[in-house]
Amino acid sequence: MKVLIHDSAEAAVAAIANRIVEKVIAKPACVLGLATGGTVEPVYDAMVQKYDQQKVSYSRIRTFNLDEYVGLSPDHPMSYHHFMEKHLFGRTDISASNTSIPFGNAANPAEEAKRYEAEIKRCGGIDCQLLGVGENGHIGFNEPTSSLSSTVRIKTLAPETVRANSRYFQRIEDVPRLSITMGIGTILCAREIVLIATGDNKSKAVLEMIEGPLSARCPASALQLHPHAEIYLDAAAASQLTLRDYYEAVHPNGKVES
Ligand code: PGA
């Protein structure tokens, strides 16, 4: 695990976006795993900016999003389909037919989960997976006590996730209670993982993710098992790490060799 501590959220965002863009330039038809949430919005803004500056084209990438709410149709304003269209897909040359997000309104969500896992495999697996992390340590909608080897399936949102995500809905009662999410095993199959966490509300999850123990209590701690995981942090998210001097000595200012 590479722990990359930046002075500010802006610097962490710029660094992770540059990293993703570098990967697309190196492999224009790469398979990217994508995430949703407040933390990744500026990452997508930075990726769009690189596209606007003609530094990169996304026309050949294939994308798979982590998750979707069960019950929301793709055109629902709170769906992750809608989020991706608004923040990334609709602003670049990504081809709609090259993007996949689970269908939350599928007649049989359990079958949809199986189909989604198979589709990822059929495309050769994910080259690079972008992640955020929840305050409770979730990745995707893999809430605490999720199996560390889980595949795409239906998961019930934890009460704290319902509360956190209610900021996007008119009423907390409107937040769907179920999701279709890549499993932790699915995520660990990605050949590379880049995760971003900013703000002191993430500092406890970041501590548990990086310094352990490895436990289903903190799903993100499963990334300790991954051979190529890079964790992009601002100083606030890194504030509870006990081995911070070590991380900063290995990667001064969050710099990482290519
Ligand atoms: P956030 O969500 O970026 O909105 O905090 C992250 C997550 O829940 O994975």
Side-chain angles (χ1 to χ4, degrees):
M1 198 180 252
K2 292 191 169 106
V3 180
L4 309 171
I5 303 173
H6 293 265
D7 285 345
S8 64
E10 291 73 24
V13 163
I16 195 169
N18 284 341
R19 192 74 169 156
I20 295 167
V21 166
E22 268 173 22
K23 289 177 192 299
V24 175
I25 291 170
K27 185 177 177 186
C30 67
V31 182
L32 291 184
L34 299 176
T36 50
T39 314
V40 294
E41 282 181 27
V43 176
Y44 293 145
D45 287 342
M47 288 173 64
V48 169
Q49 196 180 26
K50 295 279 181 194
Y51 166 73
D52 288 341
Q53 294 165 345
Q54 302 185 341
K55 300 221 165 91
V56 66
S57 165
Y58 302 110
S59 63
R60 295 178 58 205
I61 66 170
R62 182 76 178 81
T63 71
F64 286 93
N65 266 76
L66 283 168
D67 47 19
E68 179 58 286
Y69 292 112
V70 168
L72 299 196
S73 62
D75 58 3
H76 190 286
M78 292 306 126
S79 72
Y80 288 161
H81 279 81
H82 189 267
F83 177 102
M84 291 309 300
E85 190 58 28
K86 178 173 170 198
H87 292 287
L88 185 68
F89 299 161
R91 303 164 71 195
T92 63
D93 59 351
I94 294 178
S95 158
S97 60
N98 283 346
T99 66
S100 292
I101 304 175
F103 287 106
N105 61 342
N108 184 335
E111 278 305 314
E112 168 63 5
K114 278 194 211 153
R115 184 198 66 78
Y116 198 69
E117 181 84 29
E119 194 182 341
I120 295 171
K121 289 213 173 76
R122 203 169 40 249
C123 288
I126 291 169
D127 289 310
C128 180
Q129 174 69 53
L130 170 64
L131 295 175
V133 61
E135 287 180 33
N136 66 358
H138 73 199
I139 46 177
F141 275 122
N142 295 284
E143 303 288 21
T145 72
S146 288
S147 157
L148 298 184
S149 60
S150 46
T151 54
V152 183
R153 70 214 184 290
I154 311 303
K155 279 298 287 183
T156 302
L157 274 60
E160 58 271 21
T161 302
V162 172
R163 269 195 301 280
N165 291 11
S166 66
R167 68 192 194 274
Y168 297 112
F169 291 79
Q170 277 187 341
R171 303 172 315 155
I172 193 162
E173 297 76 36
D174 297 336
V175 182
R177 296 314 198 251
L178 297 178
S179 64
I180 301 179
T181 182
M182 283 188 202
I184 298 175
T186 319
I187 292 169
L188 291 179
C189 282
R191 287 179 274 283
E192 294 181 86
I193 290 176
V194 291
L195 180 147
I196 182 162
T198 55
D200 57 12
N201 58 321
K202 298 291 174 71
S203 63
K204 179 168 171 283
V206 164
L207 169 66
E208 292 175 351
M209 165 174 68
I210 295 173
E211 297 184 355
L214 170 64
S215 167
R217 183 70 187 78
C218 176
S221 69
L223 300 188
Q224 294 170 25
L225 294 169
H226 197 279
H228 300 291
E230 295 176 355
I231 313 297
Y232 291 76
L233 304 172
D234 67 352
S239 59
Q240 292 197 47
L241 293 172
T242 65
L243 303 175
R244 187 169 169 173
D245 291 350
Y246 174 64
Y247 311 132
E248 291 184 325
V250 179
H251 299 291
N253 300 313
K255 289 273 176 307
V256 58
E257 302 305 319
S258 296

